C-alpha cells in the first residue's frame, strides 16, 4: 500500500512539474498572433466575408483568434470599383471604431481586397496601422485585359456584365449582404492594366520604386507589405484549378497564380512573391486543397500577424 501511495505521489509530482514547465510555452503560443490593433481580412472580387460556417479566408480567422488576435471579416460588394469597395470598407471600420473604440486596424486584403485596403489607407491613414496584400493585381491583370477585349470584340460586353452581376447578387445574398450594389464593369475597369495604372496614380502609397521592385515600407504612418504565388495547378481535386488553368493562358509565360502576375503582386515590402500557391490557395480555398508540398497559407497569416505584433502593430 505504501509503495502504491508513493508511486501515485511521484506521478502527481511529475504531472505538476510538467504543467509548470509547459505553462509558459502555452501562454506564449496563445499570444503569438495578438496584435495591438485588430486584423481585418478583406475579400477579393466575387468574394464574401463568410457563407455559413465557411470563411472566404478558409480557416484563417479561427487560426488568428486562437493566438490572441481580434479579427473581423467584413463584406464589401463582390463586384465594384476599388474606390466603391474602399468606401464600403471605410464605413465599416468607422462603425467598429465607434462601437468598440479601436483606433486603428491592420488590413489584410486578398486579390481585389488589396486595392480596396489601399484606398482606405490612402484616404484615412489615421485609421490604418498596416496594409498587407495577398495576390493582388496592383498593376492590373492580363486576364481582365483579355476578358474586356474578347467581350468588346464579340459585342457581348453588356451580356457578360449582366451575367456576372447576377452572380455577384447571388453571392451577396447567400452571405447575408443582399443590400450591397454590384458593378461588374466597375470591377473590370479597376482590375485591368489601364484602370490599375490610373488608381496607382491617385493612390501611390507603397508603390514599387522600379518595375517588379519594392516600395516604401511605411507611408503616412501605414506599414505596407505584399506576398504572391506563382503556381496554377496545385491539386487536381480542386475544381478551381481548371478555371485558373484557362485564365493563366493570358499571361504568355509570365509567372502567375492563375489570375495575377508575380510582379503585379508587389507592393510595399515584398515578403515573398513565389509561394507554391494559386489564386485560391492564397486564401486556403477550396476548403484547404493545395499542393501537399507547398507552404501552409494559414501558417503565413499567423506569421504575418506575429510580424505585425513584433512591430508594435
Amino acid at each position: 500500500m505504501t509503495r502504491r501511495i508513493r508511486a501515485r505521489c511521484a506521478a502527481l509530482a511529475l504531472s505538476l512539474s510538467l504543467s509548470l514547465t509547459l505553462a509558459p510555452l502555452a501562454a506564449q503560443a496563445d499570444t503569438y498572433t495578438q496584435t495591438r490593433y485588430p486584423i481585418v481580412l478583406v475579400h477579393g472580387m466575387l468574394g464574401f466575408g463568410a457563407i455559413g460556417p465557411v470563411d472566404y479566408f478558409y480557416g484563417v480567422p479561427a487560426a488568428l483568434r486562437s493566438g490572441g488576435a481580434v479579427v473581423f471579416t467584413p463584406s464589401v460588394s463582390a463586384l465594384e470599383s476599388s474606390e466603391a469597395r474602399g468606401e464600403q470598407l471605410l464605413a465599416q471600420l468607422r462603425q467598429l471604431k465607434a462601437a468598440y473604440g479601436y483606433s486603428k486596424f491592420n488590413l489584410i486584403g486578398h486579390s481585389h481586397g488589396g486595392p480596396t485596403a489601399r484606398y482606405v489607407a490612402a484616404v484615412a491613414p489615421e485609421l490604418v496601422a498596416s496594409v498587407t496584400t495577398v495576390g493582388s493585381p496592383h498593376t492590373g491583370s492580363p486576364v481582365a485585359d483579355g476578358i474586356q477585349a474578347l467581350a468588346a470584340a464579340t459585342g457581348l460586353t453588356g451580356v457578360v456584365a449582366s451575367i456576372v452581376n447576377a452572380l455577384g447578387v447571388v453571392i451577396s445574398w447567400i452571405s447575408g449582404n443582399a443590400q450591397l450594389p454590384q458593378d461588374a464593369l466597375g470591377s473590370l475597369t479597376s482590375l485591368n492594366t489601364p484602370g490599375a495604372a490610373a488608381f496607382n496614380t491617385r493612390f501611390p502609397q507603397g508603390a514599387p520604386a522600379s518595375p517588379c521592385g519594392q516600395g516604401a515600407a511605411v507611408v503616412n504612418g501605414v506599414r505596407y507589405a505584399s506576398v504572391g504565388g506563382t503556381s496554377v495547378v496545385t491539386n487536381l481535386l480542386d475544381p478551381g484549378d481548371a478555371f485558373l488553368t484557362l485564365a493563366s493562358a493570358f499571361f504568355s509565360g509570365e509567372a502567375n497564380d492563375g489570375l495575377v502576375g508575380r510582379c503585379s503582386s508587389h507592393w510595399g515590402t515584398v515578403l515573398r512573391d513565389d509561394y507554391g500557391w494559386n489564386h485560391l490557395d492564397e486564401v486556403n480555398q477550396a476548403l484547404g486543397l493545395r499542393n501537399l508540398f507547398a507552404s501552409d497559407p494559414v501558417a503565413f497569416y499567423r506569421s504575418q500577424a506575429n510580424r505585425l505584433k513584433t512591430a508594435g502593430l
Side-chain angles (χ1 to χ4, degrees), residues 271-312:
L271 301 175
R272 182 174 172 181
D273 65 359
D274 62 348
Y275 275 107
W277 303 331
N278 63 30
H279 202 67
L280 294 179
D281 297 336
E282 290 161 358
V283 287
N284 202 35
Q285 292 286 359
L287 304 179
L289 293 174
R290 67 178 191 279
N291 188 324
L292 295 177
F293 301 102
S295 301
D296 181 359
V298 176
F300 159 73
Y301 288 97
R302 282 178 51 84
S303 65
Q304 178 59 3
N306 184 257
R307 290 188 191 97
L308 296 172
K309 172 189 173 181
T310 301

Side-chain angles (χ1 to χ4, degrees), residues 245-263:
T245 298
L246 292 174
S248 68
F250 287 104
F251 285 89
S252 303
E254 177 190 0
N256 66 90
D257 65 7
L259 289 177
V260 178
R262 181 176 69 87
C263 294

Side-chain angles (χ1 to χ4, degrees), residues 34-52:
Q34 190 173 328
T35 52
R36 178 181 178 185
Y37 303 109
I39 293 174
V40 178
L41 301 174
V42 187
H43 66 77
M45 185 181 73
L46 292 176
F48 49 86
I51 295 178

